[in-house]
Amino acid sequence: MASSVFSLASTSFPHSKKDLGLSAFASTSPLSARKCERAVSRRISCSVVAPQQSERKSSATGSVKTAMTMTEKILARASEKPQLSPGDNVWVNVDILMTHDVCGPGSIGIFQKEFGENAKVWDREKLVIIPDHYIFTSDERANRNVDILREFCQEQNIKYFYDIKDLSNFKANPDYKGVCHVALAQEGHCRPGEVLLGTDSHTCTAGAFGQFATGIGNTDAGFVLGTGKLLLKVPPTLRFVLDGEMPPYLLAKDLILQIIGEITMAGATYKAMEFVGTTVESLNMEERMTLCNMVVEAGGKNGVVPADSTTYKYLEGKTSVAYEPLYSDNQARFLADYRFDVSKLEPLVAKPHSPDNRALARECKDVKIDRVYIGSCTGGKTEDFMAAAKVFLASGKKVKVPTFLVPATQKVWMDLYSIPVPGSGGKTCSQIFEEAGCDTPASPSCGACLGGPKDTYARLNEPQVCVSTTNRNFPGRMGHKEGQIYLASPYTAAASALTGFVTDPRDFLQ
C-alpha cells in the first residue's frame, strides 16, 4: 500500500473521523510526524489543527452574509441567489451543456418526448455536441448515433457541432475534434465562474478552469435542452492543499491517484473537491485537467482549481465570451482539509479492479504486462505524450510490449508531429515513438478507454494485463471482463512499456 504524505484537519463542518494511513517520512506537520512515526505498517487516525487558508481575492455574489466556497459562489451566481449553503436545492442557469454520441441520442429523445417533436433548444449557441466515443468502428448502431446527432443539429441549427463524416480519414473532417473533455477546453468552452454540464461523468475535467462542471444523466440533459436550467443540490467542499516542489518523476495522475487512494472511491460522494497550494499553482492547464478529471472516481460532484494567470493565458484567443472568476472566501467553511507534501510522494498505480486500489509502482515491479495504452481524456493530451516521449528518449531503448497511442483530439495528433520534445535535438513525439517501436498514433477519439465495439482500436479482446493512462480499471472497462488494468501516469506507462513489467519511471528518469 502506498504511504501518504498528508494530514487531515477538521474544520467547521462535523464529520466522522476515519482511519487514514500515514507514514513517518510522509508527514507535513510536527504533530502528525510525532503521532504517526510508526504508522507505515498500520492504520491509525491522526488530526491536526485547522490550517490557515492562503490569501485569495474575495469575489462576492451580491451581499455576502456568510463566507462561501468557490463552488457555492458559482452556484449562487448561477441561481441568482445572494447566499447558498451546502444542502440547498436551487435552480441554476446553465452556461454550457455538452453531449456526445453515446448519450446524445437518448437526451435528444427525452427532449423531443417531453417538449414536443418541433421544440427548439433553449439556446443553440450554448449547446456543444461532440461525437467522440464510438467513432472509428464499423458497428452500425454506433455509426447511427452520430447520424442522429447530425440530423438534430441540422434541424436545430446548432452552432457547435463537431461533426465527422469520413471515418476512413479523420483529417478529412475539419470540424471533427475528438475527446469531448479535451475539445471543450481547446475550443474555448471552459470559462471561470460558469456552470458547465455534460452527459459524461468526466465532465468534471473542466473544473480545472475555475468553473462548476459535472456530469448529468440523459433525463436531466433533456430537461436542460428545453429550459437551460437544472435543479442542483449545493455540495459541501473538501479542500486539498498540495504544497512542495513537484519531483521530476511525478505527474498530476500520481497526485490524484494518491488522493483517491487516501479517501477511497466513496470519500467525496456528492462533495466538491477544491485543489489549492503551491504545487497546484505550478501545474499547467492540462495537468490541472488531469487532477479534476478523476474526482468522480472518488465520488466527487465536481473538482475545481482557482483560476489564475496560467488559466487566463491558456484562454487567450480561445473565447470572446466575458467571464469573471470566483474564489473561496478566507473564512469559507470546508467539510475537511487534506494537506500533502508532494515532494515526498512516489510514482503510483491503481491495481485492478478499482481506482482506489493504490500501490507504489515499485511495489508492482514483478507484475508482467501484455500491453500499454496511452490516451483518453485523462492521459491523451499533448503534455501526456510529451511526458511519455521524455521517458522513451531518456532510455534510448525499444518497447517490449505493444504500446498503443491514442491522441485525444486532432490538435493533439498534430502536436505529436510538429512540436519538438525538449532536449531531443528537435525530434517530435511521433519520431521518438517510432524509434521506440510504439504503434503509430491512432485516430483521435476515446478509443479503447470505454471498451466499445470489438473492432475498436487497442480494445482488450483477450484477458490481458494492461498499463493504461485512462481513468477506470473496473472489470470489462477496456473490453474483456477478465482484463487486468493498472492505471498509471504517462511516465509510468512509458517506463512499463520499456520493460514489460509495471515499472517505476525513476528507473529511466534519474
Side-chain angles (χ1 to χ4, degrees):
M1 156 127 186
S3 297
S4 71
V5 188
F6 96 111
S7 59
L8 168 66
S10 301
T11 56
S12 57
F13 281 123
H15 63 282
S16 60
K17 292 184 179 179
K18 299 181 179 179
D19 287 348
L20 300 162
L22 298 104
S23 70
F25 65 84
S27 302
T28 59
S29 73
L31 175 60
S32 59
R34 288 197 301 271
K35 286 195 174 185
C36 308
E37 61 184 347
R38 293 187 179 88
V40 175
S41 60
R42 61 190 178 94
R43 301 181 69 79
I44 66 171
S45 61
C46 177
S47 63
V48 297
V49 294
Q52 294 295 314
Q53 185 177 6
S54 58
E55 288 293 323
R56 288 201 175 275
K57 173 187 173 184
S58 176
S59 182
T61 302
S63 177
V64 174
K65 301 174 183 177
T66 305
M68 290 189 287
T69 67
M70 189 191 323
T71 292
E72 292 160 12
K73 282 188 177 183
I74 295 172
L75 294 180
R77 172 192 281 172
S79 61
E80 301 176 359
K81 302 281 187 182
Q83 184 71 42
L84 287 180
S85 298
D88 289 348
N89 293 297
V90 291
W91 289 100
V92 301
N93 297 306
V94 179
D95 294 293
I96 294 290
L97 173 67
M98 183 280 298
T99 191
H100 51 51
D101 55 299
V102 174
C103 297
S107 301
I108 291 167
I110 291 168
F111 164 70
Q112 293 175 333
K113 177 184 177 183
E114 300 298 334
F115 292 90
E117 290 290 331
N118 298 317
K120 295 296 183 182
V121 298
W122 99 100
D123 192 326
R124 74 175 192 87
E125 295 190 11
K126 291 186 176 182
L127 175 61
V128 182
I129 298 185
I130 309 180
D132 65 346
H133 273 61
Y134 304 148
I135 303 303
F136 302 103
T137 173
S138 60
D139 187 283
E140 294 181 358
R141 288 173 296 182
N143 295 336
R144 175 58 183 152
N145 273 13
V146 181
D147 294 339
I148 293 171
L149 298 183
R150 184 180 303 113
E151 293 163 5
F152 180 75
C153 289
Q154 290 173 346
E155 293 170 3
Q156 297 281 338
N157 192 27
I158 301 301
K159 183 175 183 179
Y160 300 110
F161 172 47
Y162 299 114
D163 196 9
I164 181 167
K165 295 179 180 178
D166 187 347
L167 302 184
S168 65
N169 178 15
F170 72 89
K171 296 190 290 292
N173 302 271
D175 294 331
Y176 178 67
K177 302 303 175 186
V179 178
C180 57
H181 311 300
V182 181
L184 281 170
Q186 292 178 344
E187 298 305 313
H189 299 297
C190 301
R191 294 177 288 265
E194 293 191 351
V195 171
L196 184 153
L197 304 180
T199 58
D200 189 288
S201 60
H202 291 103
T203 301
C204 51
T205 305
F209 290 84
Q211 64 183 150
F212 178 86
T214 195
I216 60 175
N218 291 2
T219 302
D220 282 351
F223 185 84
V224 175
L225 282 171
T227 66
K229 298 178 181 293
L230 191 63
L231 183 66
L232 290 174
K233 179 189 289 185
V234 180
T237 299
L238 301 175
R239 182 170 54 178
F240 296 84
V241 185
L242 286 73
D243 286 319
E245 184 176 354
M246 189 87 150
Y249 45 80
L250 289 186
L251 292 169
K253 182 65 166 291
D254 297 294
L255 304 185
I256 193 61
L257 288 179
Q258 175 76 17
I259 290 169
I260 296 170
E262 209 64 69
I263 67 175
T264 77
M265 283 192 64
T269 300
Y270 211 95
K271 298 175 180 67
M273 297 173 68
E274 183 171 330
F275 301 100
V276 298
T278 58
T279 307
V280 176
E281 292 167 1
S282 72
L283 298 177
N284 60 42
M285 284 311 302
E286 292 194 354
E287 285 284 84
R288 295 179 187 186
M289 288 167 67
T290 298
L291 203 59
C292 290
N293 174 272
M294 288 185 66
V295 301
V296 70
E297 270 67 60
K301 181 65 174 177
N302 67 300
V304 69
V305 174
D308 58 14
S309 58
T310 300
T311 319
Y312 310 143
K313 184 176 181 181
Y314 182 94
L315 290 173
E316 286 178 5
K318 289 185 172 66
T319 181
S320 60
V321 178
Y323 57 82
E324 180 187 354
L326 297 171
Y327 303 98
S328 293
D329 291 316
N330 288 339
Q331 301 305 316
R333 300 169 299 170
F334 294 90
L335 190 62
D337 275 301
Y338 294 84
R339 287 184 165 265
F340 295 81
D341 180 354
V342 172
S343 67
K344 303 289 180 58
L345 292 177
E346 296 185 49
L348 297 170
V349 297
K351 300 185 293 185
H353 290 284
S354 177
D356 65 0
N357 190 13
R358 180 188 62 186
L360 296 175
R362 61 180 172 82
E363 293 176 334
C364 302
K365 59 184 177 61
D366 295 326
V367 176
K368 190 177 186 304
I369 66 173
D370 300 299
R371 55 167 59 192
V372 165
Y373 184 94
I374 301 175
S376 83
C377 55
T378 318
K381 305 178 292 298
T382 299
E383 292 295 335
D384 297 316
F385 287 105
M386 285 284 184
K390 181 180 177 181
V391 175
F392 291 137
L393 186 67
S395 75
K397 300 178 180 179
K398 287 187 175 292
V399 298
K400 293 188 176 180
V401 295
T403 302
F404 303 101
L405 312 168
V406 185
T409 64
Q410 277 221 55
K411 182 184 183 305
V412 175
W413 188 92
M414 290 186 289
D415 287 346
L416 302 192
Y417 286 87
S418 60
I419 300 178
V421 175
S424 69
K427 293 181 180 179
T428 63
C429 284
S430 62
Q431 290 174 307
I432 293 171
F433 294 151
E434 183 178 3
E435 290 174 1
C438 302
D439 261 34
T440 302
S443 300
S445 74
C446 293
C449 174
L450 193 56
K454 287 193 174 182
D455 63 349
T456 299
Y457 175 76
R459 183 184 189 272
L460 275 177
N461 290 324
E462 300 175 44
Q464 295 181 320
V465 179
C466 177
V467 170
S468 177
T469 64
T470 54
N471 44 47
R472 288 178 182 156
N473 56 353
F474 307 133
R477 172 68 184 187
M478 293 186 71
H480 201 285
K481 65 181 181 180
E482 295 178 13
Q484 305 279 315
I485 304 167
Y486 286 77
L487 303 179
S489 76
Y491 279 162
T492 301
S496 301
L498 290 167
T499 65
F501 293 83
V502 174
T503 301
D504 189 317
R506 287 177 290 187
D507 291 355
F508 298 101
L509 293 177
Q510 286 187 333

